[in-house]
Amino acid sequence: MLRTVLQKPLQIFPQAAKQSPGIRSQTLSHRFRAMSAGALTPLIAVCQVTSTPDKEHNFACCSQLVRQAAQRGACVVFLPEAFDFIGSSVEETLSLAEPLEGDHVQRYVSLARECGVWLSLGGFHERGKDWESTRRIYNCHLLLDPKGALVAAYRKTHLFDVELEGRVSLRESAFTNPGPQIVPPVDTPAGKVGLAVCYDLRFPEISLALARDGAEILTYPSAFTTTTGAAHWEVLLRARAIETQCYVVAAAQTGQHHDRRTSYGHALVVDPWGSVVAQCQEGPGLCLAQIDLAYLRRIREEMPVFRHRRPDLYGQVAALRDLPPV
């Protein structure tokens, strides 16, 4: 049975946060009240699943979590990369992939309508319009509104081709096309959401571009390996939050998918100060978090790092010449 992890769901008071940024409450109610704002703040749900090659099983697990999140009052629900399936081979992955117009996405369209929530579908194995010519797919992050309309589709631009001797060997480019562009942030009831996928997390240029374009929430749905997750998962997510002063939301795959693949898990939410305010533990489940945009704006006003940036200097390094003698 899927278990629900209800951690944090934050009450950060701006003055307390300034004095001690790590302060957070573990109090849970149907909707979490941000006392500093004196009103309800949007609630989001971040899911953690163990996808397998069985698409029916995966949909049953994901839809159960989405319904739980909706019952608890979440307005946006985030699912991880490969929510649809994780194949045991390249051949199986390609055979299971579908176009966006296929039955699998339509089931999530119906689910969004049924639950009345926004759905971040963090990494769909998409047979694009060039499937017949390339025989490769896209790793596509979809955003659906509560009417089931597709409002954004971001195709992963950085592909995970990594060889860590004796630990990790994956070559995503063997069967996946890189996406052609970053897509603009999307207005949702929780804030403006910027879309990325997993390995994109290691490239801060995307997060900075999205933040410059107005993003307030950056989302990195992932299937991190256990090796790279244990070493880098939390520190990278916190870094992206700190440098952009955004909320960072990371739904995650967890556990063993088949005999050759496991994922790290630890789905989490980081606030704009860099504090982890919600996190899943082991196994499938979800965590809930408030998005306090008043708190975000206060951090940006008190430490205006984007006004301090020097784009006139970035991209070039001055030559070592004309230095005074020592």
Side-chain angles (χ1 to χ4, degrees), residues 86-224:
I86 291 182
S88 58
S89 67
V90 169
E91 294 74 21
E92 183 175 46
T93 297
L94 294 177
S95 70
L96 291 173
E98 296 184 20
L100 296 186
E101 301 79 14
D103 293 341
H104 205 72
V105 171
Q106 290 306 307
R107 298 178 76 175
Y108 282 94
V109 166
S110 298
L111 183 64
R113 291 173 181 162
E114 172 196 330
C115 295
V117 296
W118 288 71
L119 285 182
S120 164
L121 305 177
F124 175 72
H125 296 83
E126 179 203 3
R127 288 191 181 184
K129 297 187 184 303
D130 57 0
W131 164 251
E132 293 299 330
S133 60
T134 68
R135 311 306 289 184
R136 293 169 185 256
I137 60 176
Y138 291 91
N139 191 336
C140 189
H141 185 167
L142 309 174
L143 191 62
L144 305 179
D145 72 12
K147 296 180 180 179
L150 176 61
V151 295
Y154 164 75
R155 293 164 178 89
K156 187 177 181 182
T157 51
H158 299 95
L159 302 183
F160 190 71
D161 289 359
V162 174
E163 294 285 342
L164 301 179
E165 188 174 355
R167 293 176 293 169
V168 177
S169 178
L170 287 172
R171 187 163 295 277
E172 191 174 15
S173 67
F175 57 93
T176 305
N177 292 311
Q181 61 189 4
I182 305 170
V183 302
V186 177
D187 273 310
T188 77
K192 292 184 178 180
V193 176
L195 306 182
V197 180
C198 199
Y199 191 52
D200 290 331
L201 175 60
R202 295 183 181 271
F203 302 90
E205 293 86 354
I206 287 185
S207 62
L208 293 169
L210 289 168
R212 282 195 300 269
D213 206 42
E216 296 159 322
I217 302 168
L218 302 174
T219 181
Y220 294 97
S222 296
F224 254 56

Side-chain angles (χ1 to χ4, degrees), residues 222-250:
S222 296
F224 254 56
T225 69
T226 53
T227 298
T228 57
H232 301 147
W233 174 247
E234 183 174 315
V235 68
L236 282 170
L237 292 165
R238 294 182 69 189
R240 297 294 84 86
I242 293 166
E243 70 198 5
T244 62
Q245 298 175 319
C246 288
Y247 281 91
V248 169
V249 177

